[in-house]
């Protein structure tokens, strides 16, 4: 339609003609002939306005005379004239689009100044469009946003009028701060931020004195209303059905906090003062913090409050705000809610409560503007405005933004929309307003009872109790984590409270906190403990932070917990669940079924193990089981003397052929080709883990094997990805059989090695045949007969089948509790004496290492009957590595023997000593303490927890 | 103007890659691209038809707001589709895609459809990023890919409409919760009563999505 219309407007349709001064003159002519909008000329006018935009932008880029003409003829006035005629949606949208394009594309500052100079733009900003039309609304707010992006110290004067105290761009925009359409709200926020960013003192003073109280009080109320809705959503939830809505509300709350933080980090000091005052005294304290205590009168549930407070501390780092907030939570009592207590903050008249602002934002803005005109002398600052608000409070009450009525009829649609939101929140406000004095009552009551209590802190600590569940505890841990990591919080405050300060030297830590944390851990270590993995991980983190000095910064193999992400997840707001059907991440829910219980137990073990190592300052020596640096890699050069090699032709799937020698190492098979320079050496062309290998015969060729090696994957559900897939053709069928056997044996032995290593890790006794397998160096020619197969078969079933595991580990006479080497003398050694309740209290006040270990070990023997059956408690004292040196971890260090070959590199061979490679036979000596000095390559087995072996049996 | 659905899009990418020009080119055909005029817009809306249904696209350019974390966050979350644009004549704009994508994935809802667009395909002589590279990047990250030119209008229509089709399919599959406006999808004010199959089929879809 428009395409055709251009032909009669633009003459011959040549673009050169359209973009020219002459054409603009013609457009001007059209405008002068059509000053009144009618049905007949509407299309013509729309196309004319559109063409003018195009010419102006073209002029800005190519010919400045175009702009001169536009200004000279004051063509902007025509636009306004058309706009004011209620010319209808079609024309409105076109005008707004034109303005958008105009201000977006203008590149020359002077052109921009020209456009802004005659105040037409402000007239358009205050024009009452039909905001009920979503397209007009969108174009309008985009227009304001485009303008706000042009704001700087120079252009601000075109929008902000010092003499009349007008700043239409800003005040019109913030009226939509609670618009139901999210994109509109986002645009409003953008506009406000762009305004605050401009460093113009006069303008900012105006913002503070005339708009800050109305805007921030409404904003804070808006946020609070969302919070109450969120809380309702949590309370009314059944079986996690509200999760979708809840995650939106949580995301909304995060948006609010990020917005507040964006304002605060612009760091406009006096604006921040007002905002901090409102946030603290009208939202965070009366709504969030107050709800931590006082059951009857609280407005939201404590767990919601804890969750939201953690978010606050994670996101907002503005010092005056977070410091004051933290001080109340950790130091304050309910007296902060009593008016006139002489607290440091008297800005809001001393009363801290969450109440609806007396008037709608629009009305408040209007009021403060008039007030400003009449009584500038008398009421120069926002503090007095606050009082005035209190005065008018009774009158404005539940009116629900009735002040909006002053606007003209064309705006009514939009007003309704806004009011609808306000009305909704009104219902809430009525509820809360009944409770206005509750804070005071409760506060007064508490004061008479206790002299100096810290009810919030007490609540926080008592919520760490995980006896029934860890619903609250997780949030408390997050809160503590967030507070201790907040850049805005004074480290003095943290130190005084003995809260964990990361990366700092310290002399003391909070016994109470440490004890509670340890209690969480010991609950987590119970087979049926109702503690989620995320909770445990956080407790470990906090305990480390509390008691370790300096920054140990031990690199963990697993990805560290991202608390900020954790707290973005709405699903943890609902009571902990066990069912995976909810789609909640495993670490954020309880295990379901035996497999998951085992998974959880294994993870608990690893976490506690690593915590114990770190607290004792010992290095990790056993994990991961396979370290990449120990493996043979492609292009390694190896000494193959004394190795068994089998020559073969490797025919890969795509037809490529290569002559190679097949060699089998401890964990790997490799394909080598001879090194040209040194006799008996070889260059590795391929190396793959035996555990990822599949070997099968080739049907019509008895000399060939088909071998597939998959890429190692940590995810059991991932589709295996082959890294090698080839036919190996040997000289004859005998060599083929030998190769097959060698690979099969290698695989079995690799598995046994790993099982031994796992057993050692779990403090499980080592199988008698171990030495033969592991210490090839000495005696390994005894080929493992049927036993390995049994071992292999059983170990596959082991995690789920108690009988199988008994069979595997039965031949042993060791006990889990023995491992607590350092503490063995400190606690009762009898594993049967302690019931399942851990007696952490006794040990918790000691130094860190004994604390943890005793807690864990105290309960360890109690929970698994199966295990006790197979392990007589008599030999509970330590054994294990005994006098013998511990096993080495590096597989490539293992010396050569039958039937595997050794692929030693020179450097490694030097450091080898035979004894260091022998795995401990079960010895009955006591664990040496401290460990004997070792060569650098040697490693120590540390045995942190007796609980380990239990865990695997659960 | 009645529509069955409204989809909200955002356009992201480095400055100067031609985001606002693409947007104007798509939303307003009356502005014809010519060599001596570069013109764009930060907001636009247009009606398209998919599967016989009127669908309104509302496209928001996020340019200039990157410095505020709260703003980008909210924009991503409120959109059903995103056009991630780079300039084929500027290698750096292609190199920054990963950062953009990380941001988008982190903040958006997981169903957001992302289309990768290599813009300025008319400037073949100055090309720095091969089409194959764009394709590979898209494949690797599960995006739809297209090279466009706002100047010649080549593929512009397709880019926006294919994204809409993808969103529409997701609605049909019940992946998107259309009753939740926070996802960037809105059901039209006057639901077409002539098309009685629509509400029924939706209900079925949703039930299907709920049980798995």
């Amino acid at each position: 339609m428009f395409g055709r219309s251009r032909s009669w407007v633009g003459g011959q349709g040549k673009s050169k003609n359209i973009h020219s001064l002459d054409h603009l003159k013609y457009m001007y002519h059209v405008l002068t002939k059509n000053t009144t909008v009618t049905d007949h000329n509407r299309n013509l006018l729309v196309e004319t306005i559109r063409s003018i935009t195009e010419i102006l932008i073209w002029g800005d880029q190519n010919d400045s005379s175009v702009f001169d003409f536009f200004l000279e003829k004051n063509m902007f006035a025509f636009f306004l004239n058309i706009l004011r005629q209620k010319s209808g949606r079609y024309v409105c949208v076109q005008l707004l689009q034109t303005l958008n394009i105009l201000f977006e594309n203008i590149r020359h500052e002077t052109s921009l100044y020209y456009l802004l100079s005659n105040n037409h733009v402000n007239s358009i900003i205050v024009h009452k469009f039909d905001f009920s039309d979503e397209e007009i609304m969108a174009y309008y707010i985009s227009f304001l946003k485009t303008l706000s992006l042009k704001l700087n110290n120079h252009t601000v004067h075109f929008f902000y009028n010092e003499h009349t105290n007008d700043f239409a761009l800003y005040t019109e925009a913030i009226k939509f701060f609670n618009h139901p359409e999210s994109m509109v709200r986002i645009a409003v926020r953008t506009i406000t931020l762009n305004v605050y960013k401009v460093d113009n003192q006069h303008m900012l003073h105006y913002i503070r004195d005339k708009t800050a109280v109305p805007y921030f009080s409404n904003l804070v109320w808006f946020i609070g209303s969302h919070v109450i809705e969120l809380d309702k959503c949590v309370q009314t939830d059944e079986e996690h059905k509200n999760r979708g809505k809840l995650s939106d509300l949580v995301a909304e709350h995060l948006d609010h906090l990020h917005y507040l933080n964006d304002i605060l980090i612009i760091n406009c000091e006096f604006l921040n003062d007002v905002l901090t005052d409102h946030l603290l005294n009208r939202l965070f304290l009366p709504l969030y913090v107050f709800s931590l205590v006082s059951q009857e009168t609280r407005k939201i549930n404590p767990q919601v409050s804890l969750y939201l407070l953690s978010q606050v501390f994670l996101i907002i780092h503005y010092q005056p705000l977070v410091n004051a907030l933290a001080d109340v939570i950790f130091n304050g009592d309910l007296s902060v809610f009593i008016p006139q207590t002489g607290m440091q903050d008297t800005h809001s008249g001393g009363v801290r409560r969450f109440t609806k602002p007396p008037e709608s934002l629009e009305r408040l803005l209007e009021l403060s503007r008039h007030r400003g005109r009449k009584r500038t002398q008398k009421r120069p600052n926002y503090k007095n405005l606050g009082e005035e608000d209190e005065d008018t409070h009774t009158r404005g009450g539940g009116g629900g933004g009735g002040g909006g009525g002053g606007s003209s009829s064309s705006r009514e649609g939009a007003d309704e929309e806004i009011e609808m939101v306000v009305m909704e929140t009104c219902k809430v406000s009525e509820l809360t307003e009944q409770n206005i004095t509750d804070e005071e009552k409760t506060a007064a009551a508490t004061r008479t009872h206790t002299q100096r209590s810290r009810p919030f802190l007490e609540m926080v600590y008592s919520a760490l109790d995980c006896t029934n569940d860890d619903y609250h505890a997780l949030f408390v841990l997050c809160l503590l984590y967030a507070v201790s990591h907040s850049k805005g919080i004074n480290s003095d405050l943290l130190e005084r409270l003995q809260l964990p300060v990361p990366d700092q030297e310290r002399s003391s830590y909070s016994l109470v906190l440490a004890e509670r944390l340890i209690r969480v851990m010991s609950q987590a270590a119970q087979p049926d403990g109702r503690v989620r993995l995320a909770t445990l991980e956080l407790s470990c983190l906090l305990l480390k932070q509390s008691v370790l000095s300096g920054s140990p910064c031990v690199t963990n193999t697993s990805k560290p917990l991202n608390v900020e992400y954790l707290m973005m997840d709405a699903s943890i707001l609902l009571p902990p669940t066990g069912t995976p059907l909810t789609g909640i991440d495993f670490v954020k829910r309880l295990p379901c079924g035996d497999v998951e219980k085992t998974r959880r137990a294994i993870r608990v073990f690893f976490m506690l193990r690593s915590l114990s190592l770190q607290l004792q300052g010992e290095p990790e020596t056993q994990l991961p089981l396979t370290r990449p640096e120990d493996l043979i890699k492609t292009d390694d050069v190896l000494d193959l003397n004394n190795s068994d090699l089998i020559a073969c032709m490797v025919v890969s799937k795509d037809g490529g052929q290569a002559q190679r020698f097949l060699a089998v190492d401890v964990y790997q098979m490799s394909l080598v080709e001879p090194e040209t320079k040194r006799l008996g050496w070889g260059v590795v062309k391929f190396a793959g883990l035996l555990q990822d290998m599949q070997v099968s015969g080739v049907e019509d060729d008895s000399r060939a094997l088909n071998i597939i090696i998959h890429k190692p994957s940590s995810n059991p559900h991932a589709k295996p990805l082959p890294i090698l897939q080839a036919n190996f053709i040997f000289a004859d069928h005998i060599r083929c059989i030998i190769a097959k056997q060698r690979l099969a044996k290698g695989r079995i032995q690799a598995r046994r090695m790993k099982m031994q290593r796992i057993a050692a890790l779990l403090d499980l006794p080592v199988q008698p045949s171990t030495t033969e397998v592991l210490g090839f160096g000495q005696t390994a020619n005894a080929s493992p007969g049927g036993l390995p197969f049994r071992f292999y078969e059983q170990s596959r079933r082991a995690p789920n089948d108690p009988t199988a595991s008994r069979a595997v580990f039965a031949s042993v006479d060791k006990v889990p509790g023995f491992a607590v080497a350092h503490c063995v003398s400190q606690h009762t050694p009898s594993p049967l004496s302690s019931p399942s309740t851990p007696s952490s209290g006794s040990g918790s006040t000691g130094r860190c290492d004994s604390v943890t270990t005793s807690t864990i070990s105290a309960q360890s023997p109690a929970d698994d009957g199966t295990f006790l059956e197979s392990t007589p408690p008599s030999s509970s004292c330590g054994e294990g590595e005994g006098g013998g040196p511990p096993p080495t971890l590096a597989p490539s260090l293992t010396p050569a023997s039958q039937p595997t070959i050794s692929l030693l590199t020179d450097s490694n061979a030097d450091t080898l000593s035979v004894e260091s490679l022998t795995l401990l036979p079960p010895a009955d000596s006591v664990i040496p303490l401290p460990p004997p000095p070792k060569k650098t390559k040697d490693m120590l087995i540390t045995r942190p927890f007796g609980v380990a072996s239990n865990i695997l049996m659960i | 103007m009645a529509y069955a659905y409204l989809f909200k899009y955002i356009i992201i990418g480095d400055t100067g890659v031609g985001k606002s020009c693409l947007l104007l080119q798509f939303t307003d055909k009356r502005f014809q691209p010519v060599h001596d005029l570069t013109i764009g817009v930060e907001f636009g809306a247009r009606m398209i038809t998919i599967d016989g249904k009127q669908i309104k696209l509302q496209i928001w350019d996020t340019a200039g707001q990157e410095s505020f974390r709260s703003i980008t966050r909210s924009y991503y979350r409120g959109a059903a589709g995103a056009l991630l644009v780079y300039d084929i004549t500027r290698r750096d704009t292609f190199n920054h895609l990963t950062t953009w994508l990380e941001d988008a994935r982190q903040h958006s809802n997981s169903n957001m459809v992302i289309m990768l667009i290599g813009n300025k395909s008319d400037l073949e002589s100055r090309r720095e990023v091969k089409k194959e590279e764009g394709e590979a990047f898209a494949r690797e990250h599960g995006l739809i890919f297209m090279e466009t030119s706002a100047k010649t209008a080549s593929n512009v229509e397709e880019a926006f409409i294919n994204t809409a089709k993808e969103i529409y399919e997701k609605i049909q599959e019940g992946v998107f919760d259309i009753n939740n406006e926070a996802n960037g999808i809105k059901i039209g004010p006057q639901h077409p009563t002539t098309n009685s199959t629509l509400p029924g089929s939706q209900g079925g879809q949703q039930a299907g999505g709920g049980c798995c």
Side-chain angles (χ1 to χ4, degrees), chain A residues 2 6 15 19 46-47 50 53-54 57-58 61-62 89 94 97 100-101 104-105 107 134-135 138-139 141-142 145-146 149 181-184 186-187 189-190 193-194 197 244 248 251-252 254-255 258-259 262 266 564-565 568, chain B residues 1 3 6 8-10 20 24 27-32 34-45 56 58 60-65 67-71 73-75 77-79 106-107 180-183 186 189 212:
Chain A
F2 296 118
R6 82 169 23 254
S15 56
H19 300 128
V46 163
E47 178 55 24
R50 193 204 64 78
T53 331
E54 210 171 331
I57 302 303
W58 175 84
Q61 291 168 11
N62 299 289
R89 176 178 195 277
Q94 181 55 65
Q97 191 210 32
N100 267 333
I101 293 176
E104 151 105 28
N105 292 278
R107 287 177 200 166
E134 89 187 338
E135 196 153 330
Y139 271 110
I141 208 72
S142 297
K145 194 185 76 187
T146 307
L149 286 166
E181 175 60 57
S182 69
M183 288 297 186
V184 174
I186 298 167
R189 291 185 202 153
T190 315
L193 289 168
N194 283 333
K197 214 171 57 178
D248 282 337
E252 194 74 36
L254 285 168
D255 276 357
H258 279 292
Y259 172 54
D262 277 342
I266 288 174
E564 202 169 327
Y565 284 1
M568 279 161 62
Chain B
M1 280 196 236
Y3 52 80
L6 182 144
K8 284 179 229 170
Y9 284 14
I10 51 171
S20 61
L24 185 65
T27 55
D28 202 334
K29 290 277 167 301
R30 298 169 296 168
F31 291 90
Q32 289 193 353
V34 282
H35 75 279
D36 56 354
L37 173 65
T38 309
I39 183 168
V41 71
E42 287 186 344
F43 170 81
K56 187 167 190 169
Q58 216 184 52
W60 301 76
D61 185 355
T62 60
Q65 294 146 54
S67 55
F68 301 117
R69 193 173 166 199
S70 62
I71 302 302
R73 219 193 99 80
S74 316
Y75 264 120
R77 217 163 48 74
Q106 190 192 338
H107 297 302
N180 183 353
E181 282 186 22
N183 283 342
K186 220 165 133 179
C212 55

Side-chain angles (χ1 to χ4, degrees), chain A residues 628-650:
Chain A
E629 60 264 37
D630 297 330
L631 295 177
I632 298 167
K633 289 171 226 30
T634 306
D635 293 335
D636 280 358
V637 181
L638 306 170
D639 180 3
L640 299 170
N641 289 307
N642 304 322
S643 311
D644 274 358
L645 303 172
I646 306 177
C648 62
M649 177 70 81
V650 179

Side-chain angles (χ1 to χ4, degrees), chain B:
Chain B
M1 280 196 236
Y3 52 80
Y5 295 109
L6 182 144
F7 297 165
K8 284 179 229 170
Y9 284 14
I10 51 171
I11 298 198
I12 50 176
D14 283 6
T15 41
V17 296
K19 296 182 298 259
S20 61
C21 298
L22 275 175
L23 205 162
L24 185 65
Q25 185 52 235
F26 174 70
T27 55
D28 202 334
K29 290 277 167 301
R30 298 169 296 168
F31 291 90
Q32 289 193 353
V34 282
H35 75 279
D36 56 354
L37 173 65
T38 309
I39 183 168
V41 71
E42 287 186 344
F43 170 81
R46 195 185 130 182
M47 203 73 93
I48 58 167
T49 310
I50 292 177
D51 202 12
K53 291 187 187 70
Q54 291 284 91
I55 289 173
K56 187 167 190 169
L57 301 184
Q58 216 184 52
I59 304 127
W60 301 76
D61 185 355
T62 60
Q65 294 146 54
E66 294 86 0
S67 55
F68 301 117
R69 193 173 166 199
S70 62
I71 302 302
T72 36
R73 219 193 99 80
S74 316
Y75 264 120
Y76 282 120
R77 217 163 48 74
L83 302 182
L84 172 52
V85 189
Y86 68 92
D87 178 350
I88 64 152
T89 69
R90 278 168 56 205
R91 166 69 60 179
D92 56 321
T93 66
F94 181 77
N95 294 340
H96 296 159
L97 288 179
T98 329
T99 324
W100 282 108
L101 199 61
E102 269 169 23
D103 253 32
R105 298 257 198 242
Q106 190 192 338
H107 297 302
S108 67
N109 81 63
S110 52
N111 294 320
M112 183 166 86
V113 175
I114 304 175
M115 166 157 263
L116 180 66
I117 289 178
N119 194 29
K120 308 196 185 174
S121 63
D122 51 301
L123 300 175
E124 192 55 51
S125 58
R126 284 162 49 197
R127 181 190 278 276
E128 282 182 14
V129 183
K130 280 193 229 116
K131 191 175 180 183
E132 291 74 29
E133 294 176 79
E135 281 167 350
F137 186 91
R139 213 177 314 115
E140 192 182 329
H141 295 91
L143 317 173
I144 333 170
F145 174 70
M146 218 166 242
E147 280 196 352
T148 62
S149 163
K151 268 267 137 64
T152 65
S154 142
N155 266 345
V156 174
E157 195 88 354
E158 289 81 354
F160 284 86
I161 291 177
N162 287 355
T163 310
K165 278 183 182 155
E166 186 99 347
I167 297 169
Y168 184 77
E169 273 167 31
K170 283 198 173 187
I171 292 176
Q172 298 299 306
E173 289 163 13
V175 179
F176 265 116
D177 178 11
I178 46 167
N179 295 311
N180 183 353
E181 282 186 22
N183 283 342
I185 298 173
K186 220 165 133 179
I187 307 175
Q190 303 115 305
H191 219 280
T193 45
T194 48
N195 194 346
S196 58
T197 55
L198 189 62
S201 66
Q202 270 165 17
Q205 296 292 357
Q206 273 177 308
C211 64
C212 55

Side-chain angles (χ1 to χ4, degrees), chain A residues 14 62 76 201 261 268 441 445 573 788 846 941:
Chain A
K14 269 232 158 187
N62 299 289
F76 227 111
Q201 292 303 307
N261 191 48
C268 165
K441 273 191 221 156
L573 257 174
I941 287 189

Side-chain angles (χ1 to χ4, degrees), chain A residues 858-919:
Chain A
Q859 54 165 20
S860 57
D863 31 29
D864 200 297
T866 319
F867 190 80
L868 286 176
E869 248 176 77
S870 63
T871 52
S874 55
S875 58
S876 70
C877 218
E879 55 183 350
E881 58 255 275
T888 172
L889 281 178
S892 56
L893 296 181
T894 318
S897 81
Q898 292 290 340
T900 46
I901 53 148
S902 152
L903 300 164
L904 292 175
T905 60
D906 243 354
S907 59
N908 282 345
D910 287 343
T911 62
L912 274 179
S913 68
V914 175
E915 52 164 22
S916 73
L917 297 163
T918 326
L919 187 83

Side-chain angles (χ1 to χ4, degrees), chain A residues 264-276:
Chain A
L264 291 168
I265 56 182
I266 288 174
N267 214 2
C268 165
E269 200 177 310
F270 44 76
L271 210 57
N272 282 5
D273 286 347
V274 189
L275 184 57
T276 302

Side-chain angles (χ1 to χ4, degrees), chain A residues 404-429:
Chain A
S407 44
S408 81
S409 57
S410 67
R411 283 202 61 161
E412 255 172 27
D415 286 337
E416 266 166 32
E417 270 185 319
I418 301 162
E419 271 162 35
M420 258 164 49
V421 180
V422 181
M423 289 298 276
E424 256 175 58
T425 58
C426 262
K427 290 173 211 151
V428 183
S429 82

